[in-house]
Amino acid sequence: MIAIYNKIAKANEWIEQNKSSVNNQYRLNYHLMGEMGWINDPNGFIEYKGRYHMFYQHYPYEPVWGPMHWGHAVSKDLIKWEYLPVALAPDREFDKDGCFSGSAIEKDGMLYLMYTGHVYTGEDKSKDYIQTQCLAYSYDGITFEKLVSNPVIDTYSIPANASLRDFRDPKIFKADGCYYTLIGSKDKNENGQVLLYKSKDLKKWEYVNCLSKSHGSIGNTWECPDIFKLGDRDILVVSPQYLKPRGNEFNNLHSTIYMLGNLNLDCGTFSFDEFYSVDYGFDFYAPQTILDSKGRRIMLGWMDMWETPKPTQTDKHNWAGAMTLPREVVLKGSRLYFKPVEEIADFRRNEYSVSNLKLSGEEVLQTIGDSYELDICFDAQDALEFGLKLRVSDAEETIIYYNKEDKLFYFNRDKSGSGLKGERRTNVDLIDNKLMLQIFVDKSSVEVFINEGEKVMTGRIYPSKDAVGICAFSKGDCILTLSKWDIV
Ligand code: FRU
């Protein structure tokens, strides 16, 4: 018994003793991060006994990916999070090299976590491994026991033609009195797919079907699947590895997409025609959603990308990784819209506003900040190009702007400071010749909600401390109305 709990106790002690070594320079003010060390995917997102619980892939010992633990935080408002002890550590035969991503469900008042046990089977870590699905349970939502009979879905339950290695990220849900789980997979020709399993008691699972798959053009392993209903449509969200760029889309190493389709649980099928990006920026991956007690479908993703060096990994910052703002997902016609959850408005302070400012050329706003919200309307008038420069100093700026001729919205971080550079673009139409933006800047992040959530662009930036200026600019005349609040 003692050996079982050692790794959790060790991780918690390490965090307690070392968290003060974290450098705060790029720490976010209103986004969830780990206390220290590395985090990636959100896991086990659930509302349980009146609080939102978020777990996350976590390696507390260094700001790099390592044997995965599950970190844990709770919140009443989805914005301010309180840390709880590490929930899972890789401490059993069936998960000895990592407790990979998974999800949570409440049953008979208890909180269950279903996660992937990652185990290396040889020297070459890129291919010598197996992944199985495991279950842990808790009476208080804080301390978890792993089932002795784990794994609950073993490799022998993997269907023919599915990868025997990449079999992970269970997303559990209940429908018609039964439990189901989606599992990320790929077939033997490297096409991403999602497998569906069914259970009456969470412990014994049977394979139903390959729910949905790529036919050669939608990337490799479909990681972190999720499914939900909005209106009368079913929506499947997956994070395909190595989805190839198409023009301005899918220019990150991996992408997150959604499909609108029809779920048939009896046959175990989900059919769809088209797929779309969830986020058009640089840093968004592996999101999870919940339906909360207010009836909202809320999504939160990892606000980083694989294989991109992060400035907080070096210079003794001792941490890496953050989550996006929680976003409410709404179906409008045949597209998803994403809006920051309304709770964020409770954290607005120090309003600054500009009304109907005639803009031609560049204007320095009489306000500064590194952690704020901007609500903006550009009335394009005759301007060809207009936008904002954020986190401005003599040498640095992050530019977001719209070009009317090519109908593209741009997010440029070439001069944002440390860290990766580059530009992302996406097609946007003006509405009555107007562009609406809701922008969240938080120390080392920018999230831009375009035209009331029609599109979102998310990116990490690492500006200097003195880069706090804000400028608006226009080539040709336009009219700017803007409100800014510090978010604290
Ligand atoms: C997605 C992912 C998951 C896996 C986890 C490992 O970012 O690769 O597929 O479970 O991260 O940390």
Side-chain angles (χ1 to χ4, degrees):
M1 234 19 193
I2 287 168
I4 292 169
Y5 292 105
N6 266 350
K7 280 202 175 176
I8 291 216
K10 189 175 154 219
N12 287 320
E13 260 165 50
W14 169 265
I15 294 169
E16 209 36 53
Q17 285 164 11
N18 293 282
K19 63 185 181 193
S20 60
S21 71
V22 162
N23 180 327
N24 280 325
Q25 180 182 357
Y26 299 120
R27 296 281 285 177
L28 301 146
N29 283 325
Y30 55 94
H31 288 76
L32 176 59
M33 300 162 288
E35 280 182 285
M36 66 175 304
W38 166 274
I39 74 162
N40 55 282
D41 313 356
N43 290 158
F45 189 17
I46 193 167
E47 201 179 353
Y48 176 69
K49 295 191 175 156
R51 294 197 292 184
Y52 296 99
H53 286 245
M54 182 56 86
F55 302 82
Y56 43 85
Q57 290 285 278
H58 190 25
Y59 183 61
Y61 300 103
E62 283 176 88
V64 294
W65 190 82
M68 282 290 108
H69 297 55
W70 277 35
H72 189 187
V74 284
S75 175
K76 285 207 161 114
D77 52 31
L78 291 159
I79 306 295
K80 296 288 172 186
W81 296 87
E82 182 194 319
Y83 294 112
L84 290 179
V86 166
L88 301 176
D91 54 13
R92 300 288 187 94
E93 275 307 300
F94 50 77
D95 62 17
K96 70 180 176 57
D97 298 306
C99 300
F100 276 18
S101 285
S103 51
I105 197 161
E106 182 175 346
K107 179 175 180 278
D108 305 327
M110 286 160 66
L111 183 57
Y112 285 84
L113 305 179
M114 193 179 202
Y115 68 96
T116 297
H118 184 75
V119 172
Y120 292 117
T121 52
E123 291 292 293
D124 184 347
K125 291 190 169 174
S126 70
K127 57 181 176 53
D128 298 337
Y129 59 85
I130 54 162
Q131 301 184 327
T132 61
Q133 316 317 318
C134 306
L135 206 66
Y137 59 92
S138 170
Y139 293 95
D140 61 2
I142 299 174
T143 318
F144 291 83
E145 296 273 351
K146 292 173 182 170
L147 235 61
V148 186
S149 53
N150 274 332
V152 290
I153 308 182
D154 211 332
T155 47
Y156 58 73
S157 304
I158 299 176
N161 200 32
S163 163
L164 286 170
R165 288 199 295 259
D166 295 301
F167 179 58
R168 58 178 174 269
D169 310 338
K171 168 69 192 192
I172 200 164
F173 60 98
K174 196 175 179 184
D176 309 328
C178 258
Y179 296 98
Y180 291 88
T181 192
L182 305 181
I183 300 180
S185 165
K186 66 179 178 190
D187 70 13
K188 298 227 159 111
N189 298 318
E190 307 279 307
N191 295 310
Q193 61 185 14
V194 173
L195 306 176
L196 180 71
Y197 291 75
K198 184 177 179 178
S199 170
K200 287 205 169 73
D201 59 3
L202 296 179
K203 289 169 190 160
K204 277 199 214 85
W205 291 86
E206 67 185 64
Y207 175 64
V208 180
N209 199 15
C210 175
L211 187 86
S212 201
K213 69 183 294 175
S214 153
H215 295 284
S217 59
I218 322 182
N220 206 277
T221 303
W222 282 6
E223 298 190 310
C224 302
D226 192 1
I227 198 157
F228 51 89
K229 211 176 184 67
L230 283 175
D232 58 356
R233 304 307 303 271
D234 297 305
I235 291 131
L236 178 67
V237 176
V238 292
S239 292
Q241 291 186 302
Y242 310 109
L243 180 52
K244 291 205 180 72
R246 295 186 182 176
N248 290 325
E249 275 192 81
F250 314 125
N251 285 294
N252 301 323
L253 181 66
H254 309 315
S255 303
T256 298
I257 57 169
Y258 71 89
M259 301 90 153
L260 256 52
N262 292 308
L263 172 67
N264 182 329
L265 274 177
D266 295 331
C267 311
T269 55
F270 176 89
S271 49
F272 67 94
D273 295 323
E274 262 308 314
F275 64 93
Y276 306 98
S277 289
V278 171
D279 190 286
Y280 292 82
F282 303 90
D283 296 292
F284 184 95
Y285 199 59
Q288 290 208 339
T289 72
I290 52 163
L291 180 65
D292 83 343
S293 51
K294 295 182 179 148
R296 303 176 293 181
R297 178 59 56 177
I298 297 169
M299 175 185 278
L300 210 139
W302 178 38
M303 191 162 57
D304 277 295
M305 184 45 59
W306 286 109
E307 286 157 58
T308 57
K310 301 163 194 16
T312 60
Q313 295 179 297
T314 48
D315 303 333
K316 299 210 163 57
H317 282 259
N318 286 339
W319 71 283
M323 300 302 170
T324 64
L325 272 184
R327 301 166 182 185
E328 187 175 348
V329 188
V330 178
L331 180 68
K332 261 199 180 181
S334 56
R335 292 287 193 287
L336 296 186
Y337 277 53
F338 300 91
K339 299 175 182 204
V341 291
E342 62 186 15
E343 285 87 338
I344 190 72
D346 296 338
F347 299 88
R348 291 170 170 172
R349 301 286 180 277
N350 310 326
E351 180 167 1
Y352 162 89
S353 60
V354 165
S355 198
N356 294 316
L357 176 78
K358 194 160 178 219
L359 193 64
S360 181
E362 192 162 313
E363 183 101 19
V364 179
L365 301 187
Q366 296 308 302
T367 179
I368 56 169
D370 64 8
S371 178
Y372 55 82
E373 173 187 348
L374 290 170
D375 281 13
I376 300 171
C377 176
F378 281 102
D379 183 340
Q381 305 268 308
D382 304 321
L384 291 177
E385 198 169 279
F386 48 88
L388 292 169
K389 295 181 177 173
L390 308 170
R391 302 302 307 269
V392 181
S393 67
D394 289 346
E396 294 172 11
E397 59 190 18
T398 297
I399 316 177
I400 51 169
Y401 64 102
Y402 184 71
N403 184 295
K404 220 161 114 177
E405 225 158 55
D406 55 21
K407 295 189 171 179
L408 288 175
F409 187 87
Y410 295 77
F411 177 169
N412 186 304
R413 62 177 185 186
D414 282 341
K415 296 209 282 177
S416 291
S418 303
L420 285 181
K421 306 192 181 312
E423 183 170 86
R424 293 288 178 267
R425 306 176 194 127
T426 187
N427 276 98
V428 170
D429 287 326
L430 297 180
I431 301 172
D432 297 332
N433 211 30
K434 293 189 178 101
L435 179 75
M436 259 97 66
L437 302 176
Q438 195 179 4
I439 302 169
F440 292 88
V441 170
D442 189 1
K443 298 286 285 291
S444 56
S445 71
V446 179
E447 289 163 281
V448 187
F449 296 80
I450 305 165
N451 283 344
E452 308 202 302
E454 180 190 329
K455 288 189 169 172
V456 193
M457 293 179 106
T458 300
R460 299 300 297 277
I461 55 166
Y462 298 89
S464 312
K465 280 183 191 146
D466 65 345
V468 288
I470 308 174
C471 302
F473 65 90
S474 174
K475 290 180 185 160
D477 291 348
C478 79
I479 293 175
L480 170 69
T481 298
L482 170 152
S483 295
K484 166 185 170 271
W485 299 268
D486 293 323
I487 304 277
V488 291

